[in-house]
Amino acid sequence: MRLERRKEGAAPKLSSRRVSGSCLCGAVELEIDFPAFWAWHDHSAASRHAHGAAYATYIGCWRKHARVAKGQRSIARFEDAKTESTRSFCSRCGTPLLYERKRSLHMVNIPRALFTSRTGREPRYHVAIEELQDWAYTGRPLVPLKGYPGIVWERPKSRKRPRDVDKLYCRGATPMRTGATPAARYSDYGKSASSTGSTSNCSPS
């Protein structure tokens, strides 16, 4: 099924408020009646691949409340038999435009990022959250990257040295290597004990 094309001069239905969104190049413009029905984050592999992103955020609308305001001929469609869904893109710049599912024929999903204004719904729902990728940003603290204005990053988690290894000291033994692996530290401990000729005073604490 395709979205209807808005007729020039057609009178608005229901609410007179409409919001519009467009693709990257501006060839296609979509329009919905405000407010949208709902908004959600899609973590499924299909949407992740289609958008080339960690996940996709959509607004869902009744089909009768969404329409193509401009660029109908610039819309390309891909039918995914595996997921029984149809995805539409701008044939000029490749921007994802529509996501339609066979089991919800009266609904159409539009990427939230196409709209610069409010759509009337906040994305509070998550679909396929079990497919959330471990590399996706989930709100962890960020700090400015020194020397690179406008860039922030996540500090790596500090690795604490095992206490049972750090407390292995021998009387007269040479210091163990800082930052060495536990196996290497135990090796240093044995070498130091051998060099003293006695291990009677060496015992883990």
Side-chain angles (χ1 to χ4, degrees), residues 48-120:
R48 192 166 61 248
H49 290 163
H51 286 253
Y55 57 86
T57 302
Y58 294 102
I59 57 167
C61 300
W62 293 108
R63 184 177 295 276
K64 62 183 179 181
H65 295 319
R67 61 201 64 85
V68 178
K70 183 179 73 172
Q72 182 71 264
R73 293 185 178 181
S74 296
I75 298 178
R77 295 162 61 85
F78 169 71
E79 295 185 5
D80 189 344
K82 184 177 180 180
T83 60
E84 295 187 322
S85 62
T86 301
R87 295 179 184 273
S88 300
F89 308 83
C90 172
S91 60
R92 182 179 177 184
C93 65
T95 299
L97 298 170
L98 303 168
Y99 173 32
E100 305 163 81
R101 295 179 290 184
K102 186 176 181 179
R103 65 176 182 270
S104 302
L105 295 178
H106 299 295
M107 295 290 293
V108 61
N109 304 292
I110 306 173
R112 175 62 181 85
L114 300 187
F115 300 86
T116 57
S117 60
R118 294 182 179 276
T119 60

Side-chain angles (χ1 to χ4, degrees), residues 13-56:
K13 298 178 181 180
L14 297 179
S15 170
S16 60
R17 183 175 179 183
R18 293 178 172 182
V19 292
S20 60
S22 63
C23 63
L24 179 62
C25 69
V28 179
E29 184 176 317
L30 303 178
E31 186 179 78
I32 66 169
D33 294 326
F34 184 93
F37 184 72
W38 73 314
W40 50 290
H41 302 293
D42 186 354
H43 301 272
S44 67
S47 287
R48 192 166 61 248
H49 290 163
H51 286 253
Y55 57 86

